[in-house]
Amino acid sequence: MSDTERIPVVRLGTGGPEVGVQGFGAMGISEFYGDTDEAAARDTLEAALDAGVTLIDTADIYGRGANEEFLAPFVAAHRDDITLATKFAIVRTDDARYRGVRNDRAYIRQCVEGSLRRLGVDVIDLYYMHRRDPAVPFAESVGAMAELVREGKVKHLGLSEVTGAELREAHAVHPIAAVQSEWSLFSRDVELSAVGAAAELGVAFVPYSPLGRGFLTGSFADAGKDLSGDDFRQYQPRFSGDNAARNAALLEPVHEIAAARGGTAAQIALAWVHQRAQVHGLTVVPIPGTRRRDRLAENAAATRITLDEQELARLEPIAEQVAGDRYPDMSSTSAAREG
């Protein structure tokens, strides 16, 4: 892809904003994946916009607010050109491993005010519930989010890691523009119900970790040794011990297809996500994250790859063979609440 080529545009939900068909996940700029060169990350954001990547995704917990603050100058410089998405619901403490969840009305209102302040904006384009708290009635939580739309603090609503039944329940309270959940060659549990419900309701799907937290790039010959001490992936089951070696072996067809096409494993993995969504009649906007301009261009170029039936058939069995869960604790994911 040359510097002048821009990715196609799609609409998030039936009444949502138009965005580039691939978005930008900003989480890794602030933490979880090792040290960041902030100047390079800012340059990458500018390159993303030049390529037509206009959906910029963050959350209040990324860097415990630091990610939103980092994005604020970029947002201010390009406010009319980007669609800004952030999230609430996950609670963090000084214990780096702790993750709580709150969906009550008071907390939602507290979170939106904090995000507006850190991002330096008057309105958030797309506001997600990051995780579901089963202790709070879902309609009550979505109703509190809908209040933010009526008050002009938020334009569109999204949900993350919900089942198909939960999406239908929420959509009946207020239109949902997008569902964000993990979806990749390594993670396909969303196809159990959420994907079908999204297609039925005209809700867009925003896959996070479409590159399997980097594993699908083929970068980890020995994940246990390749990850630094502050990289959270060293605690993820798929990157640990024998699982890492077993999962790396599953990438053989990805590498072979990439080599035959003169591309990269990451491009094949992203192209698969786009085409899998087409099978379900679904609008999809994956949000791979990167801090490097060259990786941004590589990811964007994947939107122009169309895999043939033979290639898709070779990739089909991978997810069923993956060793290890997505997280050490899967209790807050949609997979844990499926039928």
Side-chain angles (χ1 to χ4, degrees):
M1 173 179 287
S2 73
D3 290 341
T4 58
E5 290 180 300
R6 293 173 64 85
I7 62 175
V9 171
V10 295
R11 185 173 296 281
L12 290 179
T14 54
E18 287 191 343
V19 299
V21 74
Q22 190 164 282
F24 184 89
M27 180 185 78
I29 291 174
S30 296
E31 63 174 333
F32 300 116
Y33 293 113
D35 295 336
T36 292
D37 180 331
E38 291 195 355
R42 293 189 192 284
D43 185 55
T44 300
L45 282 167
E46 296 290 343
L49 193 56
D50 289 343
V53 176
T54 58
L55 176 62
I56 308 300
D57 183 272
T58 182
D60 60 1
I61 68 155
Y62 300 161
R64 299 179 72 172
N67 197 249
E68 292 179 326
E69 292 173 346
F70 175 85
L71 289 173
F74 174 77
V75 171
H78 303 289
R79 188 65 189 100
D80 293 337
D81 301 316
I82 65 172
T83 294
L84 180 61
T86 191
K87 316 177 195 74
F88 76 89
I90 297 180
V91 182
R92 294 179 67 179
T93 67
D94 291 336
D95 179 352
R97 299 285 189 90
Y98 175 80
R99 297 289 186 274
V101 180
R102 283 185 64 181
N103 288 172
D104 57 279
R105 182 178 183 275
Y107 187 69
I108 292 171
R109 300 193 72 84
Q110 173 188 327
C111 287
V112 76
E113 295 298 341
S115 289
L116 288 167
R117 182 181 67 255
R118 287 186 293 270
L119 289 163
V121 297
D122 296 323
V123 61
I124 294 165
D125 299 319
L126 177 59
Y127 200 44
Y128 286 102
M129 178 189 291
H130 208 162
R131 291 294 187 272
R132 166 87 195 275
D133 178 5
V136 180
F138 205 32
E140 179 180 316
S141 300
V142 178
M145 295 172 71
E147 290 178 7
L148 303 179
V149 177
R150 291 192 291 271
E151 293 170 11
K153 298 178 187 294
V154 170
K155 290 184 180 179
H156 306 283
L157 301 184
L159 304 170
S160 180
E161 290 287 353
V162 293
T163 66
E166 289 167 343
L167 174 56
R168 289 187 179 90
E169 181 181 353
H171 198 73
V173 175
H174 188 279
I176 302 299
V179 169
Q180 182 178 138
S181 293
E182 187 166 354
W183 194 10
S184 72
L185 276 170
F186 267 15
S187 302
R188 295 178 58 178
D189 49 76
V190 292
E191 295 181 36
L192 292 173
S193 71
V195 164
E200 172 191 322
L201 298 170
V203 175
F205 216 93
V206 178
Y208 73 79
S209 296
L211 296 176
R213 297 175 178 79
F215 209 112
L216 289 165
T217 67
S219 300
F220 301 98
D222 186 341
K225 296 180 180 179
D226 292 341
L227 300 174
S228 62
D230 57 353
D231 193 314
F232 90 119
R233 289 173 293 186
Q234 64 185 305
Y235 306 111
Q236 304 303 300
R238 293 177 178 180
F239 285 80
S240 304
D242 293 340
N243 287 351
R246 178 175 170 181
N247 291 335
L250 297 177
L251 298 180
E252 182 178 354
V254 182
H255 289 300
E256 290 176 352
I257 293 169
R261 285 179 166 269
T264 67
Q267 289 174 330
I268 300 307
L270 286 170
W272 179 89
V273 173
H274 284 284
Q275 286 184 242
R276 187 63 191 165
Q278 292 174 12
V279 170
H280 291 277
L282 188 66
T283 296
V284 68
V285 182
I287 50 169
T290 184
R291 294 168 288 187
R292 292 170 45 182
R293 190 183 185 108
D294 60 333
R295 294 296 189 203
L296 186 284
E298 176 186 330
N299 292 344
T303 63
R304 291 177 167 79
I305 295 174
T306 301
L307 302 170
D308 63 33
E309 291 185 6
Q310 184 177 7
E311 290 167 331
L312 291 170
R314 293 191 66 195
L315 299 173
E316 180 65 22
I318 290 177
E320 295 180 356
Q321 303 173 51
V322 173
D325 285 333
R326 296 196 270 130
Y327 297 100
D329 179 3
M330 290 282 287
S331 62
S332 68
T333 68
S334 58
R337 301 190 300 277
E338 286 287 1

